[in-house]
Amino acid sequence: MNHSLFISLKVVRGKISNINMSGDSDLEIEEAFRRAQKAHNNKAKLVASLKNRYNKLEDKTEFHEEFIRCLKYAMIIYTREPAVENVIEFVTRFAASFETPVNENAEEEEEEGDENEFLNVLLNFLLESHGANSHAVRFRSCQLVNKLLGSLSENAQIDDDLWDRIHEAMLIRVTDKYPNVRIQAALAMSRLQDPSNLDCPTIKAYMLLLENDSNPEVRRAVLSCIAPSATTLSKIYKRTRDVKEKVRKLAYQVLAEKVHIRALSIAQRVSLLHEGLSDSADSVKEVVKTHLLPAWLRMQQGDVLQLLHRLDVENCAETAMTTLQAIFSMASSPDDLLQNGVRLNERKLIPVDSLTCENVLYWRALCEFVKNKGNEGEELLEQLLPETAIFAEYLYSYLKSITQLSEEQRADMTQLEMVMTQEFIGQQLILLVGCLDTSEEGGRKRMVAVLQEVLLMSNTPSSLIGLLVEKLIGILRDDAQKIQMIAEIISDVREPILPVSEPVDENEKRRKQVKLAEVRVQIMEAKQTLEECISCQDFSRAAELKESISELEELKNQLVLEASQSADNIKEQRVEKFPQKYEAAQLIMSDPTTLLKCLTMCAELFKQMNIKRGICPTMNALIESLILPGVSNPNPAVRNMAVTCLGTAALHSKDLANTHLVLLLQITQLDEPKIRISALRALIDQLLLNGLNILQDKPAPVSQDDSNEQPEHQAEEESTIQSILKMLSDFLDSEICELRTETAEGLAKLMYCGRILSPKLLSRLVLLWYNPVTEDDQRLRHCLGVFLQLYARASRTNQECVEESFLPTMRTLFNAPVTSPLSEVDTSNVAELFVELTRPSTLVKPAAVQAVSVHDSLAVRVCNEILRDISAPEVRLFCKTLSWLEINTEPGPANSELQLLLKDILQEVKDKHCIRIIEKLCNQLNGDRCSKSAGAQDTTLQNLDDNNGEVNKDETKAKRAKRGQKKASTAKNGKKASKAELSSEESDEENVPEEPSSVRPSRRAKMAAIDKTKQDLTALMNQEANGS
């Protein structure tokens, strides 16, 4: 419905002039509206006075017409003026005053219908007005419907037909072009939704707005009124990951106030806490701490351990730790921490049979929280932990009791879960060692002895080896002692105390072997004779032979048993560390479990030691005897850990890195994916530490002809570096997702640290970020998204690198075949990204005043690209890109060069849109009256003229990007936003805190707003009355 509401005002006024009511009631209505504009007037008295006048009238038609006529003056004003808002509030109160309670006597039904007449008339008028051409009228209509429905009581009754009309009208208005209209329509439908109905149109409209509406205030309005249900819960949960801070904050508030913790899955609970407590916005973190966590604790009657049980702490220990730290930070006194947590016995320990995943994690988190307070928490920490020696015995007794499962037992999920729980508890107890006071010599020695003994035990789980070594190294103080002790433990694990059999008499051994052989021959002959007897049907003979065979079998078993018993008669003998005999060397343990255990200890040792210390002889011996043989081990797990050890050890010595660099390069290309990734990480670490000149320190081979050998050596180094970069570039196209992601992250680190400066690689990373193939790889998208912003803002050199990569990136996208995923990428969005990344104002540390900015250089590049092929379809986009740039208008060589290029483009280009943009830019460079910002706004206005008919299409397209299309989250400058876009994005932020607009309005918009603010409804009504 498309109404023009205010054409017939004179006709309405003519009718009003003929009203015949006592006491000049038409003036009474105007006076009520006039007084309602003032905030200090008592609206309740105005409502009562006007309603008294209304009740005295027999024919109320004229009153309705006059009331609506006065209301129209308020409805044509879009801005949230105080006078207009006061009038809207007055109208709402007056209309709501006609509502009568539902449970009245039947005699009053007729009177109730008369009083509801005004409410029906007003709602009918608003429903007729909701489709008006003026967005102000549509906004005020929806606002009044929202306020009227909200002011009615819970048991209010409205005619079914009117209710259906309201529903239909609001469903139309939630798709309005203007966000403020959509907000009011969404709020108005809050009482029209039916969460129990799976096909409820209101619920469907709400979910569509939450998913696709481009305005954050609309999403917030829907969040504030949508009813949580099995259908809508997933949509509300997704808003906790919204791009806008205020939407995320409200989503957490809704979940805390309206959703029970049992309605969420374990994964959703963990995700809410992990993402909420690590959110980039402090306000979101505060909401999680002050709203969500207290609400969940109230649902668990304040039991923190029960809340941890709801989170499944075994699989989310870090998130649970963060949650506990947040709970502890809100405690008012230390007594609260002790009362709400674990129960310790008189030895300040949790009994072993009472240990659970929840209480041991709480114990550890509380101890770490108190220790981080420093001297302030020393007294409380003494109440939470025993002496070091006591805890050492406690730790040893538990770790010794961990069950060791066989291969058959591991198939039983119940037993496997039990062992995993034991390992988790053991892990938390080991981490508690870091909170102990190890300054006392006796306790420290006992703890070191316990950790050594646990590392030597065969039933110690491999998942605990790294932690045990870390805590052992942390307790020891001397570096040499640390290395020596870990090396001795590795030696003891690989060369344990083995059983060696006693020497036996060789003659006796030979006699038993001969006798055993004779018995076996007799058994074979008896079986053959038995078969012949059966074939001849001599059954009596066959029975005798069968008994004889049984006796011979018993004799054979007895002889075999005697031989095994003699072998079991053993004594323990320590294997020599450096065996002299070949037989003793074979007793070194080389099974995968032992090797993996030793390599894990070795890796942790290299990780904990300072890389400036270098490689000592003991560490070198470990590399030669353990790590390098492990690289060629057939077991993948052993091989992977050996590669990790080799990469970590190479960080301690550049010579070692040079020696094994080729080996790491080969592994990155030939082994299994997991091992290739480990080798790639080691390679990236080397490049980050030593740079691409890692081979320059490699000693050249000694030769008599140094003059010939030196250039060859240098060429070899350059070839190796080129091969490394080519290999990394090829990995970006790998079908293995993890390898591609690791490579992209490594290249991003190298470029950000300044080890690599390559526009080609940067272009590859940008294309990889936009490529629809990587749409599901959240880690890759997040890494590159953060990298591009930080890299471009770091320095002007980086911005110049971004500038050089612009044209290669755009050419790749323009030339992408239809079958390529890159053909789906929005090239305009990519261009906006490059403009924002190269904007001089975004630099963290702006350099001294430059004669030529990066945008000036980029403008020259774009102009030259346009002149290469003036008829190319991408010329329009390049011209649009020029209008976004911050070009220096001061006279100079760069300005002159750019003007010459623009004149050449004007002579050859035929597209009118491009001509207008270039002309505006020329005027800007020539020092026209318009400033730089005004020129940008004029360009924006020009864009509006050309795209005026496509506003709705553009907005719909922005709501849901096609597959592979990246939203320009970094492109936020107001210069490229058209007037239509600005109007469609503005919002009054109903029921939410106000936020300053990020777009600065033009001078004309400011003056128009000031003029409209000065207008008064009273002046408008008086002007019309005088005209009559």
Side-chain angles (χ1 to χ4, degrees), residues 697-755:
D697 296 335
K698 184 177 180 180
V702 180
S703 175
Q704 295 179 354
D705 190 0
D706 293 338
S707 59
N708 295 332
E709 290 294 335
Q710 188 66 22
E712 294 179 2
H713 180 61
Q714 185 176 0
E716 181 183 354
E717 292 176 359
E718 294 178 356
S719 176
T720 305
I721 293 172
Q722 293 298 326
S723 63
I724 292 175
L725 295 178
K726 185 179 184 303
M727 179 194 69
L728 295 176
S729 179
D730 293 340
F731 284 168
L732 294 177
D733 297 325
S734 174
E735 296 180 357
I736 304 173
C737 178
E738 294 80 7
L739 183 62
R740 181 181 61 210
T741 302
E742 199 68 40
T743 305
E745 184 175 346
L747 287 174
K749 292 178 181 177
L750 290 170
M751 296 190 70
Y752 184 72
C753 295
R755 296 298 187 182

Side-chain angles (χ1 to χ4, degrees), residues 462-531:
S462 58
S463 60
L464 304 180
I465 299 297
L467 278 177
L468 289 168
V469 174
E470 178 185 349
K471 297 304 175 185
L472 178 58
I473 293 176
I475 294 175
L476 299 175
R477 298 176 179 178
D478 183 60
D479 288 347
Q481 185 184 6
K482 297 176 183 178
I483 298 171
Q484 185 64 29
M485 183 169 291
I486 299 301
E488 290 177 358
I489 295 175
I490 292 174
S491 177
D492 290 341
V493 170
R494 292 200 69 191
E495 304 171 19
I497 299 176
L498 296 177
V500 179
S501 59
E502 290 182 346
V504 297
D505 188 1
E506 293 293 334
N507 294 331
E508 183 67 19
K509 182 179 179 181
R510 179 64 179 170
R511 187 183 64 78
K512 290 182 178 181
Q513 290 178 351
V514 171
K515 188 175 181 178
L516 181 60
E518 290 176 355
V519 172
R520 287 176 176 171
V521 171
Q522 291 177 6
I523 292 174
M524 292 176 62
E525 291 176 351
K527 288 182 178 180
Q528 186 175 1
T529 307
L530 178 62
E531 292 177 359

